[in-house]
Each structure stands twice: as structure tokens, then as C-alpha cells.
Amino acid sequence: MAQAVVTSDEPVLLGEEIVHVRLITLNRPRQLNVISSNMVSLLAENLEKWEKDDKAELVIIKGSGRAFSAGGDLKMFYDGRKSKDSCLEVVYRMYWLCYHIHTYKKTQVALVHGISMGGGASLMVPMKFSVVTEKTVFSTPEASIGFHTDCGFSYMLSHLPGHLGEYLALTGARLNGKELVAAGLATHFVPLERLSDVEKRLISLNSGDANAVKAAIEEFSVKVQPDEESVLNKQSIIDECFSKDTVAEIINSFEAEAKKEGNGWIGPVLKGLKRSSPTGLRITLRSIREGRKQTLAESLKKEFRLTINFLRSTISEDVYEGIRALTIDKDNAPKWNPPTLDKVDDEKIDLVFEPFTEDLELKIEEKEELRWDGKYENSDYASLN
């Protein structure tokens, strides 16, 4: 299994137990709290322990430094590209963890400042309460690096109003704190200067009673509306364009809208969309559309298959080329293969969505008494390595 390089003796995750409160701090500030294999294991271990602990009532999660979490550790994936399935374990553990975060039995609060992107946002959006600030920045930019929208977001984004989910997944567009609350991806907006006060108040509350936690947060939260120019106020255009059947039709429709007066905002978004991986875009659109009809567990199992196929370069090496261009060589000039949407083979797209044999699927136990079963170490993958 590929391991992230940790250059300090500091633990990547801090877990504190304060009477009935449990506080998690993502602790890789210099790396914007990107999610390493060790961090995933520690998160799962703590959350299982606390869900089963009658003394634990409230779980708070926050990031150290200037970010909540910038998502998965891309360098870890890139460094593992030559060794088959070197990152399979961390992917399995992360998606398995995503299900348990969504279905957690204790009250959870995410305190989110700074960047909250991709897999990092999967530690924010599903929480009972997610508190954002004027410095919070959310996006799911995976398609732009030749990947797909994962960590449960093919399910979460597909359930947003209209076709906003397709728009966010395909363009990687950013939302700020006010927009997150308006879109239902966060529950409360608190000015950054008061965020530490929320944490102190929740610790002093010392209770997981959801109504009491909500009232405590609302002592500091303010009512907000998206700015006039927010993309959330362009829903009719988004629905018109991003409801189209194919990525090519979406781009053509978006180009037509861009020519209309008052639609100058579309130009930069369109430019980014056209620069993204054709394979990543095709797979992302289909995954979001399927997510609308799937359960959370079905979506996570599908995302697991897709990710393993991406990392195995089953039909394309675009994800490694995207990571190279963004974070390794930093030339921002990826050479996609195939280079255009019309060259992406339909049969190859079908291939990466094909179910694995049952023994190699992500194991998610939906029965209450078995919900913490299905761990990686008990899977067939563990015995294969």
C-alpha cells in the first residue's frame, strides 16, 4: 500500500475525549490536511470506537491551519502508479468510511474554514451540522485532473436542485460559505472570528442532543444569502445546459448561452470545462446521472470500481497525467489520451462501470447489527496482498 510521506513527528490526526465530546483535528496543515492512508485509518478507528461508547455523544471535526481539507493525497496516488493496486487499501478504507460518516449514530459537527475540496468535503457535507465561514471554499474538481467525482459525491451532488450537481461535478466550480448554506451543502454560516467560540460553546454544552447543538450553533450563526452574481442565481441556465444527454451537447449548449448578453460569467467556466479530461468528463457525467437513481451504498460501490479502474489505467492514464500537470511538473498542460470527447470509446466507458465479482466489491453492511463489518482487513483484497 502506498504510504504518504510525513515529514514531521506530529500525528496526522488528533483525537481528544472531553467528557461527552469527541474532537477530531485533521493535522497536516502544511499539506492543507490532505487525506493520507494513516488519516483514514485513524478516522475510522476513532469513529467506530466513539459510536459504540455510551459516554461519547457529540463528535466535532475541524482542520488545523488555513484549510479544512484539500482532499485526497494526489502525490500518494502518483507515486504508486507503477505498482498495481498500491493505493487500493486506502481507497477501500476511505469509501467504506464515507458510508459510516453518512450513517453515523452520534451527532456530528464539522467546523469548516478554508479549503474543503473533493474527498475533504466528504468530511463536511454529510454531517448533521456543518458550519462554514466567509473563508470556506468548496469544489469537486476531479474531472479537471482526469478523475471522477467520488467519496459519495456522485450521490450527494446528484440530489441537488435541478442539474446543479452536473454543473459542479463537470466544471469543478467553487462555492463559498454563503452558497454552501443556500445549496444545502452546509447548515450554518458563522463569521470566521466566531468559529472558535462555536467550538468552545459546543464543548461546554457537553451534549449530543441535536436540538441543543443546533441552538448552540445558532447563538453565533447569521442568516446569509448568495451574492447577486452567484451561480446559484443562474439555475435556469444551468438546468437548460446541464440537462443535455452528453458532455458534448452540454458544452455546445453552454457555448450558445455564453454568447447572450449578461452571460460573461460563462466564459471562464467554459474554458476550464474544455481543458478537462474528456474521459474524466464522460465518466463523471454518467456517474452523477446514475447516482440520482442509486442508494448511497450503491453509489459508493460504483465509485470504488471506477477509482480502481482509473488507478489501474484500465482505459486511460489521464488521472496520472492530470496529477503530473497540476502537482508534479506544475506545467498545467496535460496531454489527455484520448484528446477529444469524440475519440472516447463508449465501450471503454461501459467497461469501467462493470461490476466486479462479488468477492471484490466494496463491502458495505446496511444491517444495523453488522454495520461495522466489511473492513478492508476482512476483505478478499487483504488476503491477496
Side-chain angles (χ1 to χ4, degrees), residues 250-251 254-255 258 265-275:
I250 286 171
I251 289 175
F254 213 29
E255 283 178 327
W265 64 276
I266 293 177
V269 180
L270 194 55
K271 185 178 178 182
L273 188 57
K274 289 179 174 180
R275 291 188 62 196

Side-chain angles (χ1 to χ4, degrees), residues 241-353:
C241 299
F242 287 80
S243 61
K244 300 295 186 273
D245 289 341
T246 67
V247 176
E249 289 172 309
I250 286 171
I251 289 175
N252 289 339
S253 180
F254 213 29
E255 283 178 327
E257 289 292 336
K259 295 171 183 173
K260 297 179 182 178
E261 188 176 347
N263 282 348
W265 64 276
I266 293 177
V269 180
L270 194 55
K271 185 178 178 182
L273 188 57
K274 289 179 174 180
R275 291 188 62 196
S276 295
S277 158
T279 301
L281 290 172
R282 287 280 308 271
I283 291 172
T284 293
L285 180 63
R286 177 166 164 182
S287 182
I288 294 288
R289 296 265 165 91
E290 287 190 2
R292 215 165 255 135
K293 301 170 185 174
Q294 291 172 327
T295 64
L296 170 65
E298 289 168 342
S299 291
L300 286 165
K301 289 179 181 182
K302 169 199 65 188
E303 291 172 4
F304 176 72
R305 295 176 209 125
L306 292 176
T307 293
I308 298 308
N309 278 313
F310 269 98
L311 297 179
R312 288 174 176 170
S313 301
T314 301
I315 65 169
S316 170
E317 294 185 358
D318 274 7
V319 66
Y320 297 121
E321 174 61 10
I323 295 172
R324 179 206 64 76
L326 179 68
T327 67
I328 307 301
D329 298 335
K330 300 181 181 178
D331 57 22
N332 288 312
K335 294 177 175 58
W336 305 124
N337 183 24
T340 57
L341 287 164
D342 60 326
K343 295 286 196 297
V344 180
D345 190 314
D346 290 348
E347 289 184 3
K348 288 187 175 180
I349 299 294
D350 289 341
L351 179 63
V352 296
F353 280 88

Side-chain angles (χ1 to χ4, degrees), residues 44-156:
E45 182 184 312
N46 281 309
L47 289 175
E48 179 177 3
K49 177 176 70 174
W50 295 335
E51 185 177 285
K52 294 175 178 178
D53 179 1
D54 291 340
K55 292 180 181 176
E57 295 183 16
L58 174 65
V59 176
I60 302 170
I61 184 168
K62 64 176 184 173
S64 59
R66 58 193 176 91
F68 181 70
S69 174
D73 190 333
L74 299 183
K75 189 174 185 301
M76 175 181 68
F77 291 124
Y78 190 79
D79 289 346
R81 69 194 183 283
K82 300 296 186 186
S83 304
K84 186 183 177 184
D85 291 346
S86 62
C87 292
L88 189 148
E89 180 179 340
V90 68
V91 171
Y92 187 106
R93 289 186 185 280
M94 183 64 192
Y95 293 3
W96 182 87
L97 174 63
C98 286
Y99 177 79
H100 291 83
I101 288 172
H102 273 265
T103 58
Y104 203 62
K105 304 304 180 189
K106 304 289 176 76
T107 303
Q108 298 179 97
V109 178
L111 303 177
V112 185
H113 69 287
I115 293 170
S116 179
M117 292 185 177
S122 72
L123 306 177
M124 170 189 85
V125 176
M127 302 299 184
K128 177 74 174 176
F129 302 106
S130 43
V131 181
V132 294
T133 76
E134 68 274 18
K135 295 293 186 181
T136 305
V137 179
F138 164 90
S139 74
T140 49
E142 291 84 4
S144 68
I145 61 160
F147 198 51
H148 68 105
T149 307
D150 69 332
C151 290
F153 275 104
S154 71
Y155 177 82
M156 289 182 276

